[in-house]
Amino acid sequence: MATISLKHNNPKVNNIHQQKGHIIIEEIEGLIRVHKDGHVERPQIVPNVSCKVPSENGVTSRDVTINRDTNLFARVYVPSSILLLTSHNNNNNNNKLPLLVYFHGGGFCVGSTSWICYHEFLNNLAIKANCVILSVDYRLAPENRLPLAYDDGFNALMWIKHEALNGTLYNGGSNKQNWWLSHCNMKLFLSGDSAGANIAYNVATRLASSNINSSCLNPFCLKGVILIQPFFGGEERTFSEKHFQQPQNSALTLSISDTYWRLSLPLEATITRDHPYCNPLANGIVNKLRDLKLPSIMVCVSELDILKDRNLEFSNALVKAGKKVETFVYKGVGHAFQVLNNYQLSHYRTQEMMSHIKNFMN
């Protein structure tokens, strides 16, 4: 797996400065620069990779278009072994795999399903967890503030349902773009890391809300939600946020987290860090969790992550609300270790996490 090093300094927080005649109002060096006139720059700190690059581990990947109007697309990963099995008998559901819909991280503001670190991680996860993966390339803030990323996630699921009901599952995958659906069974999982985990959770709660019919995903059945270091926040700092010291090239420091939230939350004057998009446990929301018909949830926590305490508090709240939750803490690694691969233990912990995901899905 590629090693990605985020060589940025602390973001310039609330520090308006000039560069080449332009006024920059927000910046995380090396990742994103927001100008006063609304122009946004995203330096190519992480290489993009084409889906057509041959896989070394036997995974076929292709890009598919979900909505041309919003430029919403996804990258699909299918283990090559299942292609051989289902090509002989498309109607044998025993030869088909669960579908994992994945959302990448990046504070809602950066990142892509075509980033090499996500491409390689999901290639490996498809093999290790024995599943088909659809990685959604949702719209980014600040041009597209929340809840637009949630809308993209929900609309991606509705598109999957539409394609399935149009006969792709039952007619041998005759649609050239959606051939991969014929290799899926009806078991659906939502997942993501960091901001992507936040998206996965919010899409799951939208599906579980009382105003959406329980057959919303038919013919698929949502079996579980896998949250990897979910990116949440709040007005009151946790112990790990205040006291966990992070190296300069860390994927998430407290100042970087603050910048991401300023850029991604809605602009309404009444919005605070305790908005439910940011803090799922604020303002009495915990009591409402009991009424949500959520599937089983897996929460992956990194021991050195500034989000550690917030993630554990979230997991405990779900348990108290009567939800089925499995929580794993990965020792000695920090935020996004599974894609950055810049910790000594990251490879071992990534394999450990993939095994836990496989067991959870089975």
Side-chain angles (χ1 to χ4, degrees), residues 42-61:
R42 294 182 177 87
Q44 194 65 51
I45 190 172
V46 181
N48 290 316
V49 62
S50 168
C51 64
K52 296 180 181 179
V53 173
S55 167
E56 296 180 359
N57 59 1
V59 173
T60 298
S61 61

Side-chain angles (χ1 to χ4, degrees), residues 30-49:
L31 284 172
I32 188 169
R33 186 180 297 120
V34 182
H35 296 259
K36 187 176 182 179
D37 63 3
H39 175 62
V40 178
E41 297 178 70
R42 294 182 177 87
Q44 194 65 51
I45 190 172
V46 181
N48 290 316
V49 62

Side-chain angles (χ1 to χ4, degrees), residues 50 102 108 119 141 155 162 201 205 214 222 225 233 331 336:
S50 168
Y102 195 89
F108 305 105
H119 182 77
N155 290 337
H162 177 267
Y201 176 72
T205 55
S214 60
L222 182 60
V225 183
K331 295 185 177 181

Side-chain angles (χ1 to χ4, degrees), residues 157-166 215-220:
L157 296 186
M158 295 303 99
W159 173 80
I160 293 169
K161 168 187 174 171
H162 177 267
E163 295 301 315
L165 291 177
N166 269 358
S215 63
C216 176
L217 284 175
N218 182 56
F220 285 93

Side-chain angles (χ1 to χ4, degrees), residues 84-99:
L84 295 174
L85 286 173
T86 52
S87 63
H88 296 298
N89 189 353
N90 272 303
N91 294 319
N92 187 352
N93 207 51
N94 293 329
N95 290 336
K96 298 183 180 183
L97 302 179
L99 174 61

Side-chain angles (χ1 to χ4, degrees), residues 2 25 47 148 230 265 282:
I25 58 174
L148 289 181
L265 284 172

Side-chain angles (χ1 to χ4, degrees), residues 108 113 147 318:
F108 305 105
T113 188
L318 291 175

